[in-house]
Amino acid sequence: MLHVGLQHFLVVGALLFSLGLLTVATRRNAIGVLMGVELILNGANVNFVAFNHYVTGGVSGQVFALFVIVLAAAEAAVGLAIVLAIFQTFRSIDVRLADTMRE
Amino acid sequence: MPRKIVIWVVLAALVVTFVGVLGARMAEGAVLPEIILGPLGLTDALFYLFAAMTFAGAATVALSKNILHSALGLLAALMGTGSLYVFLSADFLAVTQLLVYIGGVLVLILFAVMLTNRITEVKISNASLGLVGGGALLVATVPVLVFVAIATPWATIVPAELAPTTREIGNAFLTRWLLPFELASLVLLATLIGAVVIARKELKQDEPDTSVS
């Protein structure tokens, strides 16, 4: 029997979200920023699945989490392509240097 | 190195909490097998283990100076999250997390790390701006979120028995969520084309294009 309840999962999701926010806010490396975004999306996903299991039942929350995973994969692909383009242009992926749209 | 100290403090806090919980159970008079299988069930202990793994991974992503260590921390965080899905009877989602996130996104991120940091470069910088401001952000968000999560009286139901969810998810995708499902495929196609267009090398106008015969 599982004594762990909804609150435990919500706390894990909140911690993931907060650490992702910290990463996005403080990283200078563009890839690090993308990692923070992945953490934030994972925190949201944990909440979706936990509420689905403990509050609503059914599979709607899981379906939504799957959509989030798909969009996160798309976001990572495009984001890393942009990072590579920035690296080719500026020879660095420091987000402070990429403040213009052209060379 | 304050960052290193922070990491060690976080890890030490986790270990102390785990040992403290076990010690409290022991003080109640339970012997070790009862601790693992008794009041604190094996499932609960596994939950705390995976939650700690997730948290340690996320902390590494946020605080490590080396971008490769951050990527490995992301691996731990994603695996921990995937394991937590199993506790929520989301078996299909757990496997999807493993395949898409760890097999796809993480490998993509590692590729980008390798491509943008020259291998010969000794110091793979992942420095952060203003750890003080970040800490203030953390202090502002974490207590609020945790308080809301714990204090709100959620209208919980008795969770369903653990059962395979693949059939229901397939049905839901092709009936109720059909339009978003098809739109997701469009988004993936656009992503595929967009990533190729953005990441390719631009040909200069005066250079003859040798790839076209």
Side-chain angles (χ1 to χ4, degrees), chain B residues 10-26:
Chain B
V10 165
L11 284 179
L14 281 175
V15 171
V16 165
T17 313
F18 196 70
V19 171
V21 169
L22 279 186
R25 302 284 179 198
M26 235 173 196

Side-chain angles (χ1 to χ4, degrees), chain A residues 1-4 6-12 14-19 21-23 25-29 31-32 35-36 38-39 41-42 45-46 49-51 53-57 59-60 62-63 65-74 76-78 80-85 87-88 91 93 96, chain B residues 39 43-44 47-48 51 54-55 58-59 61-62 64 67 70-71 74 77-78 81 84-85 87-90 92-93 96-97 100-101 105 108-109 112-113 115-116 118 125-129 134 137-138 141-142 145 149-150 154-157 159 165 168-169 173 176-177 180-181 187 191 195 198-199:
Chain A
M1 191 59 214
L2 196 62
H3 295 277
V4 168
L6 174 63
Q7 280 89 356
H8 294 75
F9 288 97
L10 293 187
V11 168
V12 172
L15 287 176
L16 268 182
F17 174 82
S18 307
L19 284 170
L21 201 63
L22 176 70
T23 312
T26 58
R27 280 284 99 125
R28 231 158 59 188
N29 190 324
I31 299 174
M35 288 182 192
E38 302 294 338
L39 281 185
L41 291 172
N42 261 283
N45 257 356
V46 169
V49 184
F51 277 122
H53 186 64
Y54 285 108
V55 177
T56 63
V59 291
S60 295
Q62 293 187 28
V63 168
L66 280 168
F67 280 125
V68 171
I69 288 181
V70 168
L71 291 180
V78 174
L80 291 173
I82 292 175
V83 168
L84 287 185
F87 181 71
Q88 282 174 8
R91 307 310 298 172
I93 51 172
R96 293 176 308 170
Chain B
T43 334
D44 299 312
F47 169 82
Y48 285 117
T54 309
F55 183 65
V61 173
S64 172
I67 187 78
S70 277
L74 191 65
L78 294 177
T81 319
L84 292 183
Y85 291 156
F87 291 93
L88 296 166
S89 71
F92 181 72
L93 201 57
T96 310
Q97 171 99 358
V100 176
Y101 258 121
V105 173
L108 209 60
I109 285 179
V113 170
L115 282 176
T116 52
R118 276 141 291 187
S125 168
N126 190 26
S128 57
L129 302 165
L137 194 70
L138 213 58
T141 51
V142 172
L145 287 176
I150 290 175
W154 304 108
T156 50
I157 56 169
T165 56
E168 284 116 81
I169 286 179
F173 263 138
R176 189 172 170 198
W177 306 102
F181 183 65
V187 167
T191 304
I198 293 172

